Structure formats: C-alpha cells, structure tokens
Amino acid sequence: MTRLLTLLCLFTVLIACKTETKEQTTNSETVSEEKKELTIAEKIAQAHGLDYWKSVNEIQFTFNVDRGENHFERSWTWNPKTDDVRLASEKDTINFNRKSIDSLSLNTDKGFINDKYWLLVPFQLVWDQGTTISEPIKELAPISKIEMNKITLLYGNEGGYTPGDAYDIYYDTNFMIKEWVFREGNSEAPSMTTTFENYQDFNGLKIAKDHKMTDGNFNLYFSNIKVK
C-alpha cells in the first residue's frame, strides 16, 4: 500500500469459553474487553485522535512539497464513509471512488494514497492489513538526537502499490510521533527521514502539518485542512 512512491518520483523530477448463562457470558466478555491491553499501534492511533474518526464525514487537505525554489501541491476532498475522492490540481479536477478503481483513476489513487498516508499515518498503523510491527525499543531519534521510543512498521511483500517498505517510527512518552525513517523495500539505508511537527487539532484529530529534513531545504506540509 505505501504511499511514498509518488513523492519519491516527484523528488526525481524536481521530487478479535465456556458458557454458564447467557448473561454471565456477556458480562465476562465485557470485562475481558475492558481489561484488554492496547497494542502500541492502538495507543499511538488513539493519542492522535482515532476515537474521533468515526464522526468524520469529510476531510479536505492540500499536500505541499517545497524543495529549494520548487513547489508542488495537490488538494484532496475525501469522504471516508463512501470512499469518494476529489483531486483538484492546476491541471485538472478528478472525481473517483476508491471502491471501483480503473485504469483512468489508478494514477490519481496512487497520489491520494501517498498524500493521505503522510497525513494520517498514526491511523494507518491500525487500519492497514498485512503489516508487522516490532516491539518498541529506546533509541536516539535520527534528527533531534533525543532518546525516544521506536517501532518498525513493515509491509508485506504482496499487495498495495509499493509492497515491502519499512518505516522506523519514533514517538514520545505521550505516544505522539515525532520523527520517522522511510526505508524503501526494507533496505538498510534510509530513503527519507523527516520530522513530525506543528501538530494541530482538527475536530479531535491531531495532525502534524510539517515534515522537515535536516538540511532545512525541504518541507512537506499540509494546508487548507478541514475536518467535517
């Protein structure tokens, strides 16, 4: 599924017992669910506002990349309940539904998946199938050099647009993502390392608007965010 293929191409150009009684069983299951320990992925997603996602009917955002003097942007409107998507760019406006992707909408959907992934990666941790998430360890974050918690998210070798990719995700004691390393095809060497910063709250969703590199000449950021 991953989502950075379009961005990397852009950089190249510019860039879920025993039964006693029914009532007793139900009560037992309820208690069990209440005591169930959340996974690290669930804790991260909840820290970023996952509980509010069920109320989202529409989300709008503009995906921007500044690298040197070059600027790239595209704007999206997505209804997650129906999976209707609209792309608005300088060249065109395209409407499609993700439940019926065809040859005409395929490339547009690749761009949407990439941009949505950057925007909502804390939720993708629990949404995406066919992934493996490592146990957390303590490690110095690559940009800030501050000790943080780290997990590695690995995608399977089948399915999605760019299978087999890996992400090293660094998060703080509040389970907020602060940095990540993208490793294309689970390579040992980093393909891209950026921050997660300028968090803002959009109807309960905590979204990092800026993703910067160490050289200071790159900023991937979001503008015109609206959550309805």
Side-chain angles (χ1 to χ4, degrees):
M1 126 61 292
T2 161
R3 309 90 315 250
L4 289 171
L5 178 62
T6 301
L7 179 59
L8 291 175
C9 290
L10 170 64
F11 291 162
T12 301
V13 177
L14 25 85
I15 192 146
C17 20
K18 293 184 179 178
T19 302
E20 297 175 347
T21 67
K22 183 176 182 180
E23 181 179 0
Q24 289 172 326
T25 302
T26 301
N27 290 340
S28 176
E29 290 174 350
T30 300
V31 171
S32 177
E33 286 298 317
E34 290 176 348
K35 291 183 177 180
K36 181 182 177 182
E37 177 70 21
L38 295 177
T39 66
I40 294 298
E42 290 168 338
K43 290 178 180 179
I44 293 174
Q46 288 197 356
H48 289 78
L50 181 64
D51 290 343
Y52 293 91
W53 183 257
K54 60 181 177 293
S55 301
V56 175
N57 294 309
E58 181 180 280
I59 183 165
Q60 302 175 16
F61 61 94
T62 299
F63 173 89
N64 305 268
V65 176
D66 288 342
R67 189 176 185 92
E69 297 180 355
N70 297 308
H71 175 77
F72 170 84
E73 70 176 62
R74 52 192 169 200
S75 298
W76 302 96
T77 301
W78 176 39
N79 184 320
K81 291 182 170 59
T82 64
D83 245 351
D84 288 313
V85 179
R86 180 171 70 251
L87 165 66
S89 66
E90 291 183 350
K91 296 182 179 180
D92 206 355
T93 298
I94 301 174
N95 296 280
F96 68 101
N97 186 282
R98 298 206 64 250
K99 297 175 182 177
S100 55
I101 300 297
D102 57 24
S103 59
L104 296 176
S105 58
L106 180 62
N107 285 333
T108 304
D109 187 57
K110 289 180 180 179
F112 171 69
I113 291 301
N114 175 81
D115 300 359
K116 175 179 71 74
Y117 195 86
W118 278 94
L119 184 77
L120 301 175
V121 66
F123 305 152
Q124 302 291 163
L125 288 172
V126 295
W127 288 346
D128 290 348
Q129 303 295 312
T131 63
T132 301
I133 299 178
S134 70
E135 291 296 320
I137 63 172
K138 295 282 188 179
E139 190 173 284
L140 292 180
I143 295 179
S144 66
K145 307 304 180 184
I146 296 173
E147 187 177 69
M148 297 186 192
N149 302 293
K150 170 193 167 184
I151 57 172
T152 294
L153 169 65
L154 177 63
Y155 283 83
N157 291 321
E158 297 181 1
Y161 291 133
T162 55
D165 291 345
Y167 299 82
D168 301 319
I169 296 174
Y170 297 83
Y171 60 96
D172 64 17
T173 56
N174 295 316
F175 297 96
M176 299 297 292
I177 298 176
K178 296 300 182 180
E179 300 179 22
W180 76 351
V181 176
F182 164 60
R183 295 184 288 111
E184 185 177 9
N186 196 22
S187 65
E188 292 187 10
S191 304
M192 182 185 300
T193 303
T194 73
T195 63
F196 278 63
E197 55 186 282
N198 191 15
Y199 273 96
Q200 292 189 23
D201 189 303
F202 297 90
N203 287 342
L205 306 185
K206 296 178 177 63
I207 295 174
K209 295 181 65 178
D210 287 281
H211 304 272
K212 300 179 180 180
M213 291 183 177
T214 53
D215 62 10
N217 197 35
F218 169 92
N219 186 20
L220 184 156
Y221 62 99
F222 293 95
S223 57
N224 305 319
I225 302 175
K226 296 180 182 179
V227 178
K228 302 178 182 179

